[in-house]
Amino acid sequence: MVKSISIVTVTRNAADQLKRTIDSVSRQKYEGMEYIAIDGASTDGSVRIISESPCVDKWISEPDRGIYDAMNKGTRMANGEWILFMNAGDTFAADDVIDRLMTAVDSHPETDVIYGDVIRCGNTPEEDSVKEASDVLKGHRLAFCHQSVICRRKDLLEFPFDANHRYSADFKFFKTLQKHGRKFTHINFPVARFDTTGVSTRNRAKGLADNMRVILEVDGIKGIPSLFHLLPTYLISRLRGK
């Protein structure tokens, strides 16, 4: 039986990046895949791009409370048993990634989260580099990029992204899954090409501060060692104005 997966793209006023992402998704030929676009009331032509794309199965364009609120909307619209978020500007590392991910699902039927590595895009193809995900889930940061992970829709419905966290709601989601005993599996190949111009990359100190808030919310006093992991990097980022 072919297992189903929903690819969700969240976007707002990023028409050029959106074109790249839609084109990349269109080259994935997995039989049980659907593609959903969640647009945050763009005014730059993104809606036309979405509405005219034959590979987009469902879409909406309306105001939202930020990227994580939009991702929750995509979860609710999805039909797939599994979900992968591939936001505007991000692309798949190869044209057979979804096939390989769903093969991994068959090989690990007990798992709840499957994650791979990511290609960090440089200014030129020669500057691209593979960032390998960690086999060990860390208490102070994600072990992977969210573009390189698929998770069960039922978990996303049970523990939706907390839109009060502008930068680290995905970190909170995965820490919550870990706390509730969900199983994680690392696969050793790149899933996505990561656009490093995203909001969390541009606001390093704010992202780290949000990570620390998540640690306190999820781990409480047990998270103090994880805070000490982040504090030096946070202070350096503040000093550098990043």
Side-chain angles (χ1 to χ4, degrees):
M1 180 179 177
V2 174
K3 292 189 170 57
S4 56
I5 182 169
S6 300
I7 313 301
V8 177
T9 292
V10 168
T11 185
R12 183 175 184 273
N13 288 333
D16 291 340
Q17 295 96 319
L18 177 63
K19 289 178 184 177
R20 293 201 306 271
T21 302
I22 290 178
D23 180 62
S24 179
V25 174
S26 71
R27 295 197 297 271
Q28 302 293 317
K29 302 303 181 183
Y30 182 74
E31 180 182 343
M33 184 184 82
E34 73 170 355
Y35 187 31
I36 299 169
I38 308 295
D39 177 73
S42 292
T43 58
D44 67 344
S46 293
V47 174
R48 178 182 56 79
I49 293 169
I50 294 168
S51 63
E52 293 179 356
S53 173
C55 78
V56 176
D57 298 298
K58 302 176 186 177
W59 64 277
I60 57 172
S61 180
E62 62 185 23
D64 53 53
R65 295 173 53 212
I67 185 171
Y68 294 112
D69 180 39
M71 290 165 72
N72 285 334
K73 290 181 182 181
T75 296
R76 293 192 294 269
M77 288 178 63
N79 289 320
E81 178 184 356
W82 295 83
I83 293 183
L84 185 151
F85 293 99
M86 184 69 62
N87 294 334
D90 301 319
T91 55
F92 285 103
D95 294 345
D96 63 346
V97 164
I98 297 300
D99 277 304
R100 296 179 71 185
L101 285 171
M102 300 316 286
T103 296
V105 167
D106 289 334
S107 300
H108 302 277
E110 78 293 342
T111 199
D112 301 286
V113 178
I114 293 179
Y115 63 95
D117 305 328
V118 70
I119 298 173
R120 294 179 62 90
C121 300
N123 294 321
T124 65
E126 291 74 21
E127 295 178 3
D128 291 354
S129 61
V130 175
K131 179 178 175 60
E132 294 184 0
S134 173
D135 288 324
V136 179
L137 298 180
K138 303 189 182 289
H140 63 286
R141 64 174 177 83
L142 281 174
F144 45 80
C145 292
H146 81 250
Q147 299 89 344
S148 68
V149 59
I150 62 173
C151 49
R152 294 185 186 273
R153 179 174 180 262
K154 66 180 181 64
D155 288 329
L156 285 158
L157 291 173
E158 184 176 356
F159 307 105
F161 294 113
D162 183 351
N164 293 313
H165 289 278
R166 183 179 178 187
Y167 303 96
S168 301
D170 52 349
F171 179 48
K172 182 175 182 179
F173 168 72
F174 289 112
K175 279 185 72 66
T176 301
L177 290 192
Q178 184 183 17
K179 187 174 181 178
H180 283 79
R182 299 304 196 268
K183 295 182 179 180
F184 290 67
T185 299
H186 178 206
I187 50 175
N188 297 105
F189 63 82
V191 170
R193 297 174 61 83
F194 173 43
D195 178 10
T196 57
T197 64
V199 62
S200 60
T201 304
R202 297 193 307 269
N203 297 277
R204 179 65 171 158
K206 291 179 179 178
L208 289 167
D210 207 16
N211 269 26
M212 289 190 279
R213 285 179 56 209
V214 166
I215 290 167
L216 290 173
E217 288 176 16
V218 178
D219 297 333
I221 194 170
K222 293 181 180 179
I224 290 177
S226 294
L227 294 179
F228 284 121
H229 275 286
L230 292 180
L231 190 58
T233 307
Y234 167 73
L235 293 174
I236 292 171
S237 296
R238 284 291 303 271
L239 288 171
R240 292 179 176 176
K242 293 185 177 181

Tab-separated table of all heavy atoms in Angstrom, residues 158-188:
chain	number	residue	atom	x	y	z
A	158	GLU	N	-1.906	16.921	17.269
A	158	GLU	CA	-1.951	16.810	18.720
A	158	GLU	C	-1.116	17.887	19.404
A	158	GLU	O	-1.507	18.417	20.454
A	158	GLU	CB	-1.449	15.433	19.155
A	158	GLU	CG	-1.551	15.195	20.660
A	158	GLU	CD	-1.152	13.791	21.070
A	158	GLU	OE1	-0.855	12.950	20.174
A	158	GLU	OE2	-1.124	13.527	22.290
A	159	PHE	N	0.029	18.226	18.803
A	159	PHE	CA	0.938	19.221	19.378
A	159	PHE	C	1.235	20.300	18.328
A	159	PHE	O	2.341	20.366	17.790
A	159	PHE	CB	2.247	18.573	19.830
A	159	PHE	CG	2.077	17.400	20.758
A	159	PHE	CD1	2.274	16.097	20.304
A	159	PHE	CD2	1.718	17.597	22.076
A	159	PHE	CE1	2.131	15.019	21.157
A	159	PHE	CE2	1.567	16.519	22.941
A	159	PHE	CZ	1.769	15.230	22.483
A	160	PRO	N	0.270	21.149	17.993
A	160	PRO	CA	0.500	22.150	16.942
A	160	PRO	C	1.617	23.121	17.318
A	160	PRO	O	1.943	23.305	18.500
A	160	PRO	CB	-0.853	22.865	16.830
A	160	PRO	CG	-1.536	22.603	18.128
A	160	PRO	CD	-1.071	21.259	18.589
A	161	PHE	N	2.198	23.740	16.296
A	161	PHE	CA	3.244	24.728	16.538
A	161	PHE	C	2.694	25.874	17.392
A	161	PHE	O	1.595	26.375	17.148
A	161	PHE	CB	3.777	25.276	15.214
A	161	PHE	CG	4.498	24.267	14.374
A	161	PHE	CD1	3.958	23.850	13.160
A	161	PHE	CD2	5.707	23.730	14.775
A	161	PHE	CE1	4.614	22.909	12.381
A	161	PHE	CE2	6.373	22.788	14.004
A	161	PHE	CZ	5.820	22.383	12.800
A	162	ASP	N	3.474	26.282	18.365
A	162	ASP	CA	3.092	27.373	19.258
A	162	ASP	C	3.459	28.690	18.582
A	162	ASP	O	4.620	29.097	18.582
A	162	ASP	CB	3.826	27.219	20.594
A	162	ASP	CG	3.427	28.282	21.606
A	162	ASP	OD1	2.720	29.236	21.238
A	162	ASP	OD2	3.850	28.147	22.782
A	163	ALA	N	2.458	29.366	18.025
A	163	ALA	CA	2.704	30.588	17.257
A	163	ALA	C	3.168	31.749	18.121
A	163	ALA	O	3.543	32.804	17.589
A	163	ALA	CB	1.439	30.980	16.487
A	164	ASN	N	3.173	31.570	19.442
A	164	ASN	CA	3.735	32.604	20.302
A	164	ASN	C	5.256	32.657	20.195
A	164	ASN	O	5.867	33.636	20.631
A	164	ASN	CB	3.334	32.344	21.760
A	164	ASN	CG	1.851	32.525	21.989
A	164	ASN	OD1	1.266	33.520	21.560
A	164	ASN	ND2	1.222	31.564	22.650
A	165	HIS	N	5.842	31.601	19.635
A	165	HIS	CA	7.285	31.581	19.391
A	165	HIS	C	7.525	31.921	17.924
A	165	HIS	O	7.216	31.127	17.031
A	165	HIS	CB	7.864	30.207	19.720
A	165	HIS	CG	7.888	29.901	21.177
A	165	HIS	ND1	8.886	30.357	22.020
A	165	HIS	CD2	7.031	29.205	21.956
A	165	HIS	CE1	8.642	29.946	23.253
A	165	HIS	NE2	7.516	29.249	23.246
A	166	ARG	N	8.099	33.076	17.671
A	166	ARG	CA	8.289	33.513	16.285
A	166	ARG	C	9.401	32.734	15.591
A	166	ARG	O	9.356	32.516	14.384
A	166	ARG	CB	8.615	35.008	16.254
A	166	ARG	CG	8.762	35.549	14.842
A	166	ARG	CD	9.060	37.029	14.827
A	166	ARG	NE	9.238	37.510	13.463
A	166	ARG	CZ	9.647	38.734	13.149
A	166	ARG	NH1	9.904	39.611	14.113
A	166	ARG	NH2	9.800	39.083	11.894
A	167	TYR	N	10.419	32.297	16.344
A	167	TYR	CA	11.601	31.697	15.745
A	167	TYR	C	11.757	30.201	16.054
A	167	TYR	O	12.395	29.486	15.291
A	167	TYR	CB	12.873	32.415	16.226
A	167	TYR	CG	12.880	33.886	15.941
A	167	TYR	CD1	12.483	34.809	16.909
A	167	TYR	CD2	13.280	34.369	14.696
A	167	TYR	CE1	12.482	36.170	16.649
A	167	TYR	CE2	13.279	35.735	14.431
A	167	TYR	CZ	12.868	36.622	15.406
A	167	TYR	OH	12.862	37.963	15.141
A	168	SER	N	11.226	29.736	17.166
A	168	SER	CA	11.600	28.412	17.671
A	168	SER	C	10.418	27.498	17.970
A	168	SER	O	10.535	26.562	18.750
A	168	SER	CB	12.457	28.568	18.937
A	168	SER	OG	13.615	29.319	18.672
A	169	ALA	N	9.282	27.730	17.323
A	169	ALA	CA	8.140	26.852	17.556
A	169	ALA	C	8.413	25.438	17.056
A	169	ALA	O	7.894	24.467	17.626
A	169	ALA	CB	6.882	27.421	16.891
A	170	ASP	N	9.219	25.303	16.008
A	170	ASP	CA	9.565	23.954	15.544
A	170	ASP	C	10.442	23.245	16.573
A	170	ASP	O	10.274	22.041	16.829
A	170	ASP	CB	10.240	23.988	14.172
A	170	ASP	CG	11.415	24.940	14.080
A	170	ASP	OD1	11.627	25.756	15.013
A	170	ASP	OD2	12.136	24.890	13.064
A	171	PHE	N	11.368	23.971	17.181
A	171	PHE	CA	12.194	23.408	18.254
A	171	PHE	C	11.314	22.923	19.406
A	171	PHE	O	11.491	21.819	19.924
A	171	PHE	CB	13.181	24.484	18.720
A	171	PHE	CG	14.087	24.080	19.847
A	171	PHE	CD1	14.786	22.877	19.823
A	171	PHE	CD2	14.253	24.917	20.941
A	171	PHE	CE1	15.632	22.517	20.866
A	171	PHE	CE2	15.103	24.574	21.980
A	171	PHE	CZ	15.787	23.366	21.955
A	172	LYS	N	10.323	23.733	19.784
A	172	LYS	CA	9.422	23.338	20.860
A	172	LYS	C	8.616	22.102	20.479
A	172	LYS	O	8.421	21.192	21.300
A	172	LYS	CB	8.478	24.485	21.215
A	172	LYS	CG	7.545	24.148	22.370
A	172	LYS	CD	6.689	25.339	22.786
A	172	LYS	CE	5.802	24.968	23.979
A	172	LYS	NZ	4.971	26.118	24.423
A	173	PHE	N	8.159	22.054	19.237
A	173	PHE	CA	7.370	20.901	18.778
A	173	PHE	C	8.165	19.606	18.909
A	173	PHE	O	7.683	18.618	19.473
A	173	PHE	CB	6.939	21.120	17.325
A	173	PHE	CG	6.372	19.897	16.668
A	173	PHE	CD1	5.119	19.409	17.024
A	173	PHE	CD2	7.092	19.228	15.687
A	173	PHE	CE1	4.599	18.265	16.411
A	173	PHE	CE2	6.576	18.101	15.075
A	173	PHE	CZ	5.328	17.617	15.440
A	174	PHE	N	9.391	19.608	18.407
A	174	PHE	CA	10.182	18.374	18.437
A	174	PHE	C	10.639	18.025	19.857
A	174	PHE	O	10.726	16.841	20.203
A	174	PHE	CB	11.350	18.470	17.468
A	174	PHE	CG	10.925	18.423	16.029
A	174	PHE	CD1	11.055	19.535	15.206
A	174	PHE	CD2	10.362	17.278	15.497
A	174	PHE	CE1	10.640	19.499	13.887
A	174	PHE	CE2	9.943	17.221	14.174
A	174	PHE	CZ	10.081	18.339	13.369
A	175	LYS	N	10.932	19.025	20.693
A	175	LYS	CA	11.242	18.726	22.089
A	175	LYS	C	10.023	18.103	22.778
A	175	LYS	O	10.162	17.187	23.601
A	175	LYS	CB	11.668	20.006	22.828
A	175	LYS	CG	13.122	20.394	22.607
A	175	LYS	CD	13.497	21.604	23.456
A	175	LYS	CE	13.598	21.259	24.920
A	175	LYS	NZ	14.710	20.341	25.230
A	176	THR	N	8.839	18.594	22.451
A	176	THR	CA	7.622	18.048	23.042
A	176	THR	C	7.409	16.599	22.605
A	176	THR	O	7.032	15.747	23.422
A	176	THR	CB	6.411	18.910	22.651
A	176	THR	OG1	6.613	20.260	23.103
A	176	THR	CG2	5.129	18.368	23.272
A	177	LEU	N	7.647	16.318	21.317
A	177	LEU	CA	7.533	14.937	20.855
A	177	LEU	C	8.503	14.029	21.598
A	177	LEU	O	8.148	12.913	22.011
A	177	LEU	CB	7.808	14.846	19.351
A	177	LEU	CG	6.782	15.431	18.383
A	177	LEU	CD1	7.110	14.971	16.964
A	177	LEU	CD2	5.364	15.043	18.741
A	178	GLN	N	9.737	14.496	21.746
A	178	GLN	CA	10.738	13.699	22.469
A	178	GLN	C	10.290	13.451	23.904
A	178	GLN	O	10.412	12.331	24.424
A	178	GLN	CB	12.084	14.422	22.440
A	178	GLN	CG	13.215	13.632	23.083
A	178	GLN	CD	14.524	14.404	23.092
A	178	GLN	OE1	14.544	15.630	22.905
A	178	GLN	NE2	15.625	13.708	23.299
A	179	LYS	N	9.754	14.469	24.551
A	179	LYS	CA	9.303	14.345	25.936
A	179	LYS	C	8.172	13.324	26.061
A	179	LYS	O	8.038	12.649	27.088
A	179	LYS	CB	8.847	15.710	26.451
A	179	LYS	CG	8.513	15.739	27.924
A	179	LYS	CD	8.206	17.156	28.387
A	179	LYS	CE	7.906	17.198	29.871
A	179	LYS	NZ	7.652	18.593	30.339
A	180	HIS	N	7.361	13.202	25.006
A	180	HIS	CA	6.234	12.270	25.018
A	180	HIS	C	6.601	10.902	24.427
A	180	HIS	O	5.719	10.097	24.132
A	180	HIS	CB	5.043	12.865	24.263
A	180	HIS	CG	4.301	13.910	25.046
A	180	HIS	ND1	4.749	15.208	25.166
A	180	HIS	CD2	3.148	13.839	25.776
A	180	HIS	CE1	3.900	15.897	25.906
A	180	HIS	NE2	2.929	15.096	26.293
A	181	GLY	N	7.883	10.654	24.258
A	181	GLY	CA	8.341	9.324	23.883
A	181	GLY	C	8.223	8.965	22.419
A	181	GLY	O	8.311	7.781	22.062
A	182	ARG	N	8.049	9.957	21.544
A	182	ARG	CA	7.996	9.656	20.119
A	182	ARG	C	9.381	9.228	19.633
A	182	ARG	O	10.407	9.675	20.146
A	182	ARG	CB	7.510	10.859	19.325
A	182	ARG	CG	6.110	11.346	19.680
A	182	ARG	CD	5.055	10.265	19.543
A	182	ARG	NE	3.717	10.823	19.511
A	182	ARG	CZ	2.924	11.008	20.557
A	182	ARG	NH1	3.353	10.650	21.768
A	182	ARG	NH2	1.716	11.525	20.427
A	183	LYS	N	9.394	8.382	18.608
A	183	LYS	CA	10.656	7.826	18.107
A	183	LYS	C	11.165	8.611	16.898
A	183	LYS	O	10.398	8.921	15.989
A	183	LYS	CB	10.461	6.355	17.737
A	183	LYS	CG	10.127	5.473	18.940
A	183	LYS	CD	9.999	4.018	18.546
A	183	LYS	CE	9.701	3.150	19.762
A	183	LYS	NZ	9.568	1.720	19.407
A	184	PHE	N	12.481	8.872	16.897
A	184	PHE	CA	13.139	9.630	15.837
A	184	PHE	C	14.129	8.711	15.106
A	184	PHE	O	14.840	7.935	15.741
A	184	PHE	CB	13.903	10.820	16.420
A	184	PHE	CG	13.045	11.928	16.963
A	184	PHE	CD1	12.249	11.736	18.092
A	184	PHE	CD2	13.040	13.166	16.352
A	184	PHE	CE1	11.470	12.766	18.606
A	184	PHE	CE2	12.263	14.211	16.852
A	184	PHE	CZ	11.474	13.997	17.981
A	185	THR	N	14.199	8.858	13.775
A	185	THR	CA	15.135	8.069	12.972
A	185	THR	C	15.907	8.984	12.031
A	185	THR	O	15.315	9.760	11.278
A	185	THR	CB	14.384	7.006	12.136
A	185	THR	OG1	13.692	6.116	13.017
A	185	THR	CG2	15.364	6.209	11.284
A	186	HIS	N	17.242	8.873	12.069
A	186	HIS	CA	18.111	9.648	11.179
A	186	HIS	C	18.477	8.808	9.967
A	186	HIS	O	18.947	7.680	10.096
A	186	HIS	CB	19.380	10.069	11.930
A	186	HIS	CG	20.345	10.837	11.082
A	186	HIS	ND1	21.701	10.874	11.339
A	186	HIS	CD2	20.159	11.595	9.961
A	186	HIS	CE1	22.295	11.624	10.432
A	186	HIS	NE2	21.390	12.070	9.584
A	187	ILE	N	18.265	9.382	8.779
A	187	ILE	CA	18.685	8.743	7.532
A	187	ILE	C	19.826	9.552	6.941
A	187	ILE	O	19.810	10.779	6.981
A	187	ILE	CB	17.513	8.614	6.539
A	187	ILE	CG1	16.800	9.954	6.388
A	187	ILE	CG2	16.543	7.537	6.992
A	187	ILE	CD1	15.719	9.964	5.347
A	188	ASN	N	20.822	8.867	6.400
A	188	ASN	CA	22.069	9.539	6.027
A	188	ASN	C	22.110	9.961	4.571
A	188	ASN	O	22.929	9.483	3.787
A	188	ASN	CB	23.261	8.630	6.354
A	188	ASN	CG	23.386	8.355	7.829
A	188	ASN	OD1	23.068	7.274	8.313
A	188	ASN	ND2	23.834	9.350	8.576
